[in-house]
Amino acid sequence: MKINVLSYLEASAARVPDRVCWADAASALTYREAWTAVCEMGAALSVRLSTVNAPVCVLLRHDVTDLLAFFSVVYSGNFYVPIDPALPAVRLRSMLETLKPAAVMTAGVGIDAELTQDIPVISQQALRAEAPIPSAAAPWKQRKDTDLLYVIFTSGSTGEPKGVSICHRSVIDMVEQFMRAFDFADGAVWGNQAPFDFDVSVKDIFLSLRVGGRLEILEKKLFSFPKLLLERLNERSVDTIIWAVPALKILARLHAFQTLRPLYLKNIMFSGEVMPPKTLQYWMQSIPQARFVNLYGPTEITCNCTYHIVQSADEVLESELNRERFDELAQEMPVYAQYPNEKQETYIKNLVRGAFAHGPELDDYISRYAVGWSFERIPRMAAAIMRTAMYEILYMPDIPNAAAINAAVELTKRYEPQEVAAFVNGILAKLVEERSE
């Protein structure tokens, strides 16, 4: 049983030493090179600090040097704290006063010397120069799985920023559960978008090590130039991305895939905020071969606690519109006791595919007519019922409008309070009224 995340790097360095482990725009390290550098720097850091289970701040550059620093700190038996040096001085001072770190590590970036006047500042270059021979009794091997691995500070958008403390066991459990759920391929290539002081990046860092994969660190400026970003993804054969929703929205809003599409993407995972239907539809239609997964969870529980694999219309039909599934559902709902005839099956397929294809348009109609309601306030079941009824009204002329509305209202009554059914009736009536003008 693994008790320290450094075991992931050690195991992959032994199994696939010549594979590239970490890469950025200007440099790359193989697993052998990364492991050697981490051992040397970690041993030197251990000599410098003579501490264990202490915080060591790492001033971020968002490149390979950050990862070398993180794992060197872990090797030394301490825990790392990623720090963005561009933060306002008052925020940095608050973080440092809270942490009282044993040291601050840097690879060429710095902060106001006044903030670190009582804290040792250690350069990576110095550690490499003075590296002792790593000992068989390395400090990291003496630690427990409940020892801290890192502290990440929240944004403070809802109050005073706080440092969230995560131990090795939490990250190991997260990694192994992700592997059970998604079975990432050996040697998979991650495209890292999230800054390393944002917990989304934790999945990139440790999952890639778990499968002997490669972590491609994408610089922030690429997201201002989608063509360059897509060229990088293709040049580096990136097949897995775990991005914040705003990053996906940028490419959709700029219609980035009109000129170039990702050639290798197999896993597209997202979190951080609500995914707009228009954005999701754009990505799914542009990259139909990929698996799309909505992740959710707060920083405090190690990134994510639940997920939903987004299915296409055909995937939904394949899993739900079959006799075995109907027999299963019939045990709870008698309406499923009789399987649809050929005509009914064709109607269901057309309706599901049509509602999927026109989802963003249908949601726009709902938002337009839902005066005083934000879309997020509308119950999910009611929204789904309105989408199907609207598609019937707009695109299935053989179904009378009154029949579509009545069926939607009666179905809503089964799952929602009377006032929600009345709300659905009003929205659909407005659509019909507008179309008849």
Side-chain angles (χ1 to χ4, degrees), residues 106-120:
T106 178
V109 295
I111 56 176
D112 189 339
E114 181 185 350
L115 298 174
T116 58
Q117 59 182 352
D118 297 320
I119 305 170

Side-chain angles (χ1 to χ4, degrees), residues 97-128:
E97 289 176 352
T98 298
L99 290 165
K100 297 179 174 54
V104 171
M105 284 188 68
T106 178
V109 295
I111 56 176
D112 189 339
E114 181 185 350
L115 298 174
T116 58
Q117 59 182 352
D118 297 320
I119 305 170
V121 177
I122 303 174
S123 75
Q124 290 193 32
Q125 293 86 344
L127 287 179
R128 294 296 295 270

